Amino acid sequence: MGAEVGAEVLTPAFFGAWIEEAARSVRAERDELTRLDAAIGDADHGTNLDRGFTEAVRALGERCPATPGAVLVLVGSTLIRKVGGASGPLYGTAFREAGKALGDAPAVSAADLAAALTAGVAGVRRLGSAAEGDKTMVDALAPAAGALAEAVREGRGLDDALGAASAAAAAGAAATIPMPARKGRASYLGPRSVGHQDPGATSAALILRALHTVAARW
Amino acid sequence: MVGIVLISHSGPLAAETAALAAGVCGVEVVLEAAGGTEDGGLGTSPDLVAAAVERADRGDGVLLIPDLGGAALTARLFEGPGVVVADVPFVEGAISAAVTASAGGSLEAVLAAAEEARHFRKL
């Protein structure tokens, strides 16, 4: 099952469904995200993201834009204004850059989505000056973007390709456990941040899992 | 005159740092504070920063000085022509930038002055 990677089947409704599913996942995992953040941060990641995604769903419900690119830009702008902390600007930039990469097309393909995810990750790297291995959301996002791009090159279907991206993000988040943090609030802890999974990488993996969940039934 | 926006996680910290820098300058200087969240809590509000940047913009550029973390990332969202972010100590950078701005320095000069604050010794 699943659409071909070049087929332009991903409509604004698909992206809206993704954000709704992401909001549900974040709500369900809110306390776990906050628990992870309490260990090495300031214990607000779950609450902040829940508030932001709830507002993003509300914004799309009020006026769902006509293109996938505009949907993601609206989501990004809402997250910047409503999430706060560092993750608001970071996730907001990821969605806005991904949206801009999609341009004005009324529907996009998995290949377009791969390029957009890559653009979103580049925006996060630029804003946060973070690289893989710094124990941040980049450790989940970068492998996911790489896996999606590879799956698209191999001509795999949408469901399969986003399954690979989601699995890569989850593995990337788990791989942050032994890392000492080099960016963000956790970096003040230095070696004491070792042994804790990064909350930002964890939420990034959740959001990409939501993307796969929606793609699997699309 | 170059405008300066102080962006802190704390509203009172941003406001008092602005008052301190203005007081040390002793002459007119464009200093705007954007601290805390809209409901007065700890955090950074992009909307408050946007409003402060607008107030501080007198046509000669705006220097943003964030305290740390999310404030720095929020500040970077506003980077563009005539708006630059200084990666400098909050209090010392604010005072150094304000003194140079009040003397009529360019945006480049005000940024350079703020960056010099990194090497100030107190003792």
Side-chain angles (χ1 to χ4, degrees):
Chain A
M1 284 294 286
E4 295 303 314
V5 290
E8 289 165 351
V9 296
L10 303 177
T11 58
F14 170 83
F15 288 91
W18 171 26
I19 300 309
E20 282 179 25
E21 180 62 27
R24 268 194 294 277
S25 302
V26 166
R27 172 70 54 86
E29 298 294 327
R30 179 181 60 191
D31 294 347
E32 173 64 8
L33 290 173
T34 291
R35 189 189 65 75
L36 290 171
D37 195 29
I40 58 173
D42 50 5
D44 61 4
H45 192 53
T47 317
N48 286 351
L49 268 197
D50 181 23
R51 183 177 59 245
F53 274 93
T54 300
E55 290 292 335
V57 169
R58 192 200 311 271
L60 293 177
E62 281 174 5
R63 179 185 57 84
C64 191
T67 66
V71 168
L72 295 188
V73 169
L74 176 58
V75 169
S77 300
T78 306
L79 293 179
I80 285 174
R81 293 185 57 230
K82 299 297 180 182
V83 173
S87 51
L90 290 167
Y91 274 125
T93 296
F95 278 97
R96 288 215 297 207
E97 293 297 316
K100 283 189 223 163
L102 292 178
D104 296 330
V108 300
S109 67
D112 297 329
L113 179 56
L117 182 57
T118 299
V121 178
V124 170
R125 284 180 190 275
R126 221 169 23 244
L127 180 62
S129 307
E132 281 180 82
D134 285 347
K135 197 181 185 96
T136 72
M137 61 173 70
V138 170
D139 289 309
L141 292 173
L148 182 56
E150 188 184 339
V152 163
R153 275 196 302 274
E154 291 169 354
R156 289 155 71 181
L158 178 68
D159 178 12
D160 194 15
L162 288 174
S166 174
T176 63
I177 294 173
M179 295 175 184
R182 286 199 289 259
K183 289 286 170 185
R185 165 74 170 70
S187 64
Y188 298 149
L189 295 171
R192 281 178 291 145
S193 64
V194 169
H196 301 281
Q197 183 163 317
D198 181 65
T202 307
S203 59
L206 271 184
I207 293 164
L208 287 160
R209 192 181 73 193
L211 181 59
H212 178 225
T213 301
V214 171
R217 61 175 191 242
W218 197 251
Chain B
M1 185 182 294
V2 171
I4 300 163
V5 176
L6 301 180
I7 307 171
S8 170
H9 282 64
S10 154
L13 179 59
E16 289 302 318
T17 305
L20 173 63
V24 170
C25 276
V27 291
E28 193 204 346
V29 60
V30 181
L31 269 166
E32 294 289 342
T37 58
E38 274 141 283
D39 57 6
L42 295 179
T44 315
S45 159
D47 289 351
L48 289 181
V49 175
V53 170
E54 198 168 311
R55 290 195 305 273
D57 185 1
R58 307 294 167 90
D60 295 317
V62 180
L63 184 72
L64 311 183
I65 304 182
D67 60 357
L68 58 140
L73 297 185
T74 301
R76 290 198 64 186
L77 297 176
F78 293 88
E79 279 177 325
V83 182
V84 298
V85 179
D87 178 5
V88 301
F90 193 63
V91 175
E92 292 89 336
I95 292 171
S96 186
V99 168
T100 302
S102 67
S106 66
L107 183 57
E108 291 70 26
V110 174
L111 173 62
E115 286 173 342
E116 281 169 19
R118 181 174 295 289
H119 306 293
F120 288 170
R121 297 291 304 269
K122 291 175 197 181
L123 295 175

